[in-house]
Amino acid sequence: MVPADPRVLVFTKTTGYRHASIAAGVAALADAFTIDATEDAAVFTPENLARYGVVVFLNTSGNVLDDEHRRALAAYLAGGGGFVGVHCAAGTENDWPAYDELIGARFDRHPEVQPAVLHVADRDHPATAHLSKTWEHVDEWYDFRTNPRPHVRVLLTVDESTYAGGGMGDDHPIAWCRPYGQGRSFYTALGHTIEAYADPAVRAHLAGGIRWAAGQD
């Protein structure tokens, strides 16, 4: 029997840059899953987190959790909960070392929004199985402080020869996943623009990542 889709906690708190696309992202996820969307970090308690199959950090920014909330999230993940980070989730909780491992790589910089060609590094995953080998998409292409490849399963890379301003070189991961504790962590750098969340390919990418994080693969 295929398990039912998970209930999803979508967290959108920002203390730094705030993306105009947050509302569009919440609406896109609500079309695919039963969600609770909030910017209130008080939801991060062991009792409340136990209600969810996956926690999504959707364009969060800055420090958004206190120490108690961090302990609750860490325990949730250690116990098998799923985590999904979208775009600016890589620019969140910068003074929490455990989050480095959870997210996989930290945001460094980006050029202006522009089209680029993505290469599917791994089609044997629910977040990429719907894509062809290459995919042209418009987004804000993040550079990361480190290449996460040694520690994660890379799903998508962006081809720096197809846009201006990339700074990571020939190997530029843009979406990846990994086991984390007894659970799973998925991250995608896609999702800067409002228009992205109306794109069926992006919606399928996010939905596949959430279902994988919930253990549905």
Side-chain angles (χ1 to χ4, degrees):
M1 179 181 294
V2 177
D5 277 337
R7 189 174 190 90
V8 179
L9 177 62
V10 181
F11 189 53
T12 58
K13 183 177 179 178
T14 58
T15 60
Y17 182 82
R18 185 166 183 86
H19 280 76
S21 61
I22 286 175
V26 169
L29 295 184
D31 282 345
F33 299 97
T34 299
I35 73 166
D36 293 321
T38 186
E39 300 194 3
D40 185 0
V43 300
F44 286 85
T45 67
E47 297 77 17
N48 191 57
L49 292 177
R51 301 170 54 221
Y52 300 99
V54 178
V55 173
V56 178
F57 275 33
L58 175 64
N59 274 326
T60 50
S61 68
N63 290 332
V64 292
L65 303 176
D66 67 19
D67 288 345
E68 182 178 353
H69 303 144
R70 290 174 175 179
R71 285 192 293 271
L73 179 58
Y76 166 80
L77 297 168
F83 175 85
V84 169
V86 179
H87 195 58
C88 201
T92 301
E93 293 296 294
N94 287 304
D95 66 352
W96 185 20
Y99 192 83
D100 294 354
E101 183 180 3
L102 174 62
I103 202 67
R106 293 287 194 174
F107 164 73
D108 185 23
R109 57 176 295 278
H110 63 78
E112 64 184 19
V113 174
Q114 58 193 297
V117 172
L118 295 161
H119 295 279
V120 178
D122 186 343
R123 291 192 71 216
D124 189 24
H125 191 282
T128 51
H130 63 292
L131 298 171
S132 58
K133 291 183 179 179
T134 61
W135 173 27
E136 185 170 343
H137 176 66
V138 176
D139 219 302
E140 183 180 69
W141 304 110
Y142 276 7
D143 284 347
F144 300 95
R145 297 177 195 171
T146 58
N147 188 320
R149 184 179 290 278
H151 311 292
V152 302
R153 174 183 172 186
V154 174
L155 305 175
L156 290 173
T157 63
V158 62
D159 187 340
E160 290 191 359
S161 72
T162 65
Y163 73 101
M168 292 186 68
D170 291 339
D171 183 28
H172 189 152
I174 212 74
W176 55 79
C177 62
R178 66 175 302 166
Y180 189 84
Q182 296 299 310
R184 295 175 170 187
S185 173
F186 169 87
Y187 172 77
T188 180
L190 305 185
H192 172 79
T193 69
I194 293 172
E195 294 78 10
Y197 296 100
D199 183 338
V202 174
R203 286 184 169 223
H205 175 62
L206 292 172
I210 288 170
R211 292 190 176 104
W212 179 87
Q216 298 181 8
D217 65 338

